[in-house]
Amino acid sequence: MTAGAHKNVYRKNFSLIAAFWVLITVTLFIALIIAYNLTSRYVENEFNLRKLDVLERAIKPYNDFFQNRIPEITSYQGFLDSASAANYARSVFDDYGFVKSIRYNEITVGSKPENYAGNGMDILMKAVYEYQSFAKNIVGTRLATDVANEDFKTMAAKLNYYIVVADTSRVPSQDEIYRTFYDVQPSKISYLNIPRREEIRSYRELQKGRRTRALYKQNMMTFLLDVFALKITNTHPELYQHVTVQPVVYDPLNTNDNELRTEVAFPGAFADYKIYFNSEKVHLDTEVNRRFTPIAGIVLLIYVFMVLIGWLIYRNLNTNLKLFKLQYDFINNFTHEFKTPVSVIKIAGSNLRGDGELTERQRKHYGKILDEEADKLNELMNKLLSFTQIENRSIKLNKEEINIEQFVQKYINTFSIKYPDFKLGYAVEGIYNFYTDPVLLGSIFQNLIENAYKYSNPGQKDLFIRINSEKRNIIFSFTDKGIGIPKSEINNVFKKFYRIENQYNQNGSVGLGLAFCKELVNFMNGDLQVKSKVNEGSEFIVTLPYEN
C-alpha cells in the first residue's frame, strides 16, 4: 500500500464524519425551527383555551350562591318575616359581594270568593322589603307592592302552572325546580320557596274550588347582582396582558394586527357580559421563548451528544488509521532492515557452498560477514523483544551500585571507536556513584548516543553528556548539534513505530529507539523530555530518582 492509498482512505473516512456532522447540524436547525413553531402554536391554542380557567375561577362564587345559598330559602317553609329575611340577607352580603340588594316578597296563597268562576286559588303579594348593605350594616326598606309586581307575576304564573301539572307522588326533579321556582334575568335572580307535596295537593284543591277557607304563606326573594363586583383573577398572566369585563355587544373599534384577542361569556344572570382578553404579540413571544428555551436546551444537548459520538468515531478511525500506518511503516522498515543482512548472508552462504576452492582468508572473510549480519539480526530482534517485555512489565530491575564516570567513559570509548568522526564529551558534577540497573541505563545511553550520531549532518556529529543532581533526582543531559526536531513533531517522537518524515528516516530506523528509551525511563520511575530547534540540535533530558 502506497502513501497515496493512506491519504485516500483517510480522506474518505474524514468525509464520512464531516457529512455526519453536517447532517446532524442541519437536523438540529430543522428541529429547532419545528420546535419553535410548535411551541408558538401551542401558546396560541392556550391563549384561546385558558380563558376558561379565568372564567371558572371568577364564576365559582356565583355558582356556589346559585346552587347552595339561594335554595336555603326553602328551608324556612314560607315562614320568613322581615327580621329573619334581614338576617338571611346579611349572611348573603357577607359572603357574596356581587349581590347588591335583596328584595323579600311576602306572599299568601288562599281561596277566591265563592262566586268567582274559574281558578279558585288566589296568590297575593302581601308586602315587599328591600335590603342593602352599607358599611357592613343591613338597611331594610319597605317598598310599594307594585315595585316588584312584574317579578311577582312571573313567579305566580309559574307556581300556578306547576300545581296543575306536578306529580305529587315523587320529589320534583332539578329541571322542574329550575323551570318553576327560579327566574333568571340579566343581573337578577328571583326565587320562590318550594312547597311540600302535601301543600301542592292543598293548592290543587284551592284551584278546583273545593276549599274555600285556607291561607298559606310563600317566600319569594329577588337578588339584584352586579357583575363588576365579581373578582376577576388573571390566573395566566403569561398569556393575558389585560383581562376586563365587557358587555356582550362590546367590540373594539381599533383593530391592531399586533394584538391577539379572545373572549368568553358569563353564564346565568351575567349572560349579558363577557370576560375580554387581549395581549400584544410581543407579550406572547416572550412566553413562547420562555417555553422554547428548555426544549432548545434538550435539542442542543442531543446535538452535543451526537457531535461527541461523531468525534469519538472520528478519533477512533483516525487512531486506527494512524496505527495502521505505523504498523505498515514498521513492517516495511522491519522488512527492509531484515532484507539487507539476509541478502548478505545468502550471498556469503552461496559463495561458501560454491564449487570453487576458497582460501583461508576468504573463508574467514565470509565467516566474519555471516557473524556480523547475524549480530545485526539478533540486535534487531532483541530490541523488539526487550521493548515488548518493558511494555508488559515482564522484567525486573536488577539494581547495583555503579561509578558514574567509569560508566559514561565506557560508552564514550565504545562509540569513539565505532564512529571515529563522532566528537563526544561529558561532564559529571557532584555525582560519583549511582544505584540503578546498569543494563537498562546502558540501553538508554546506547540509543540516545546512536540517535545523536545518526541524525547529525556530516561535520557536525557532536554530543555532550552532562550529569548532575537536582533535589532527589539525577539528571542526564544529552546535547547534540544535529538536524533538530520540528515543533509539530515533538509530541510524536516517543511514539512506537513513529518516524519523522525527512531524509534521515531511511538510516536503519524502525521507529523504536526513542519509544524504547521512553518506556525504559518510565519503567525506572523516571522521566524523558526533549528540547529541540531545527538545524540547531536537540537536548534529551533523562531524570531518574537518585537513591543512596
Side-chain angles (χ1 to χ4, degrees), residues 65-83:
F65 168 70
F66 187 85
Q67 297 169 6
N68 300 315
R69 185 56 63 88
I70 291 179
E72 287 182 5
I73 297 172
T74 297
S75 63
Y76 291 95
Q77 295 298 321
F79 293 105
L80 274 173
D81 55 20
S82 59

Side-chain angles (χ1 to χ4, degrees), residues 473-485:
N473 297 320
I474 182 170
I475 311 298
F476 300 87
S477 172
F478 299 80
T479 306
D480 62 48
K481 296 180 181 179
I483 61 174
I485 303 171

